[in-house]
Amino acid sequence: MATYYPPASFYFSVEFHEIAGMDKDIEQRFQEVGGLSFEVETEELRAGGENGFCYKLPKRVKYPNLVLKRGLLKGSALIAWLESARDSYFTVPINDPWFNTDSTVPAIDEWLKSAKNAYSESKVPDFKPADLFITLLDEVKQPAAIWNVVQAYPLKWAVSEFRATDNTIAVETIELAYQYFLRTL
């Protein structure tokens, strides 16, 4: 009978889908993945006359944010996706009563009209959440486990601190929220 050894956690891949340019190998390399877990929230119910215990009823499943870390890349498709999200999250039309064109000064009136036209003609970035696959690989590069993370979108981007006394690489940290994940293998 063959002995089973659990796979090592250092051999994995992260693949984003539906993001242009993410098919390059360099874009898929991460040094750390964290937050791949879930927790079931419960509600306690105390039954009348029963003092020995209380029932715990499941309510919903909570998923923490997914945290990805990798070396800082130049000209990254993932960073372009992050910036597209950042630029489209809070883009709303100007609907302010003070932002009108009924000024008594023609120069201000002209400036307000040009600002409104520039805004209405500008293109809002086309952002869509993305699915990603996290694959744990075995020693012969075959999948040992696959998690499909559904509808991920960025919440935070950070770069490691720069220190003149350290000899380390710059690491970017990307934090993503998502709907849920499924283990497919």
Side-chain angles (χ1 to χ4, degrees):
M1 176 179 248
T3 305
Y4 173 76
Y5 296 104
S9 64
F10 62 82
Y11 197 23
F12 62 91
S13 70
V14 178
E15 298 175 44
F16 282 81
H17 291 267
E18 303 161 9
I19 298 177
M22 281 298 294
D23 52 350
K24 298 176 194 165
D25 181 49
I26 192 90
E27 290 280 356
Q28 312 282 342
R29 295 181 188 178
F30 289 88
Q31 70 183 39
E32 190 175 322
V33 175
L36 196 58
S37 65
F38 69 87
E39 179 181 346
V40 177
E41 291 181 347
T42 59
E43 181 177 342
E44 289 189 1
L45 177 67
R46 300 180 194 282
E50 179 58 62
N51 294 327
F53 67 93
C54 62
Y55 294 98
K56 286 192 174 189
L57 305 174
K59 286 174 52 176
R60 69 180 64 88
V61 178
K62 284 183 4 180
Y63 297 92
N65 294 336
L66 193 64
V67 179
L68 306 173
K69 293 183 180 184
R70 70 178 184 180
L72 186 66
L73 294 180
K74 198 163 123 177
S76 167
L78 183 59
I79 297 303
W81 179 71
L82 294 169
E83 290 172 348
S84 171
R86 179 199 62 204
D87 295 344
S88 64
Y89 281 161
F90 305 107
T91 307
V92 293
I94 297 171
N95 191 12
D96 189 342
W98 295 103
F99 195 74
N100 60 39
T101 56
D102 297 333
S103 169
T104 56
V105 181
I108 293 175
D109 191 37
E110 188 66 32
W111 180 83
L112 289 171
K113 282 182 184 177
S114 67
K116 273 188 174 180
N117 289 339
Y119 181 82
S120 64
E121 292 172 5
S122 68
K123 294 193 176 196
V124 175
D126 187 25
F127 171 77
K128 293 179 187 170
D131 291 353
L132 58 130
F133 290 91
I134 300 168
T135 306
L136 185 62
L137 302 166
D138 64 14
E139 65 277 358
V140 291
K141 205 175 180 178
Q142 294 301 311
I146 301 172
W147 293 270
N148 179 13
V149 179
V150 178
Q151 295 290 301
Y153 58 93
L155 295 177
K156 182 179 177 181
W157 176 88
V159 67
S160 59
E161 294 181 5
F162 305 136
R163 293 190 183 116
T165 58
D166 288 352
N167 187 16
T168 59
I169 63 169
V171 174
E172 63 183 354
T173 302
I174 300 160
E175 190 170 332
L176 305 170
Y178 57 94
Q179 301 299 321
Y180 62 93
F181 68 81
L182 299 171
R183 183 170 171 182
T184 58
L185 177 66

